[in-house]
Amino acid sequence: MKILVINGVNLNLTGKRERAVYGAETLGEIEAELAAFAEERGHAAEFFCSNLEGELCTAIQNAEGVYDGIVLNAGAYTHYSYAIRDAIASVSVPVVEVHMSNVYAREQFRRTSVLTEVCRGEILGFGKYSYFLALESFWL
Ligand code: DQA
């Protein structure tokens, strides 16, 4: 399977921002581990990261017919982006929503996701391992 891992706003700063919440590994380091994890299991993981909502929508649109699944950490867009929600609903590629932190144990606004309803499922709270679990869900 070919899976696209999409990271949204501020996730490019992973490893540098709020380390107590998101860990000390950079996004690049996590992506390299994810690529190896998929490859060792006979699959492929590719990566896209942007701070821009529209670019995230375009990446989701362009995944149609190209990828078997999307792992999506939309960052704070999760909580209010109807544009990303509509992009997910517009494609037949299944999307698994991911969060590194346990969003239910944080501020009230993080408890709302406008994306979950149109996603296949959601994995959160396991740090970088949320991504690994989400990837694995595609080939279970
Ligand atoms: C996050 C949780 C979001 O609430 C936050 O805005 C992020 C990261 C996570 O991975 O835990 O940027 O999606």
Side-chain angles (χ1 to χ4, degrees):
M1 296 184 105
K2 200 164 111 174
I3 311 297
L4 180 62
V5 180
I6 300 179
N7 277 286
V9 63
N10 294 317
L11 287 153
N12 59 310
L13 295 180
T14 303
K16 300 181 188 103
R17 71 159 178 161
E18 297 184 80
R19 286 183 181 200
V21 180
Y22 302 118
E25 272 183 84
T26 66
L27 185 61
E29 288 166 346
I30 295 169
E31 286 177 345
E33 289 173 39
L34 288 168
F37 179 79
E39 201 180 321
E40 283 159 15
R41 286 154 183 81
H43 303 283
E46 295 180 5
F47 303 92
F48 179 74
C49 179
S50 177
N51 282 321
L52 305 183
E53 187 179 22
E55 285 190 359
L56 298 167
C57 293
T58 301
I60 293 165
Q61 290 177 15
N62 290 345
E64 184 79 2
V66 178
Y67 293 95
D68 301 297
I70 294 172
V71 170
L72 173 65
N73 186 349
Y77 287 139
T78 303
H79 311 301
Y80 63 91
S81 175
Y82 298 118
I84 293 175
R85 178 196 170 106
D86 284 351
I88 296 168
S90 301
V91 295
S92 62
V93 190
V95 177
V96 174
E97 180 182 343
V98 156
H99 302 286
M100 286 186 275
S101 64
N102 177 357
V103 288
Y104 297 102
R106 301 180 65 193
E107 301 94 327
Q108 187 68 33
F109 75 88
R110 295 186 204 278
R111 295 185 187 190
T112 300
S113 168
V114 299
L115 309 182
T116 313
E117 266 181 12
V118 291
C119 288
R120 177 186 270 182
E122 182 186 24
I123 297 174
L124 59 93
F126 297 99
K128 70 173 182 178
Y129 295 105
S130 292
Y131 293 101
F132 290 81
L133 294 167
L135 264 188
E136 205 157 36
S137 75
F138 283 105
W139 51 76
L140 279 177

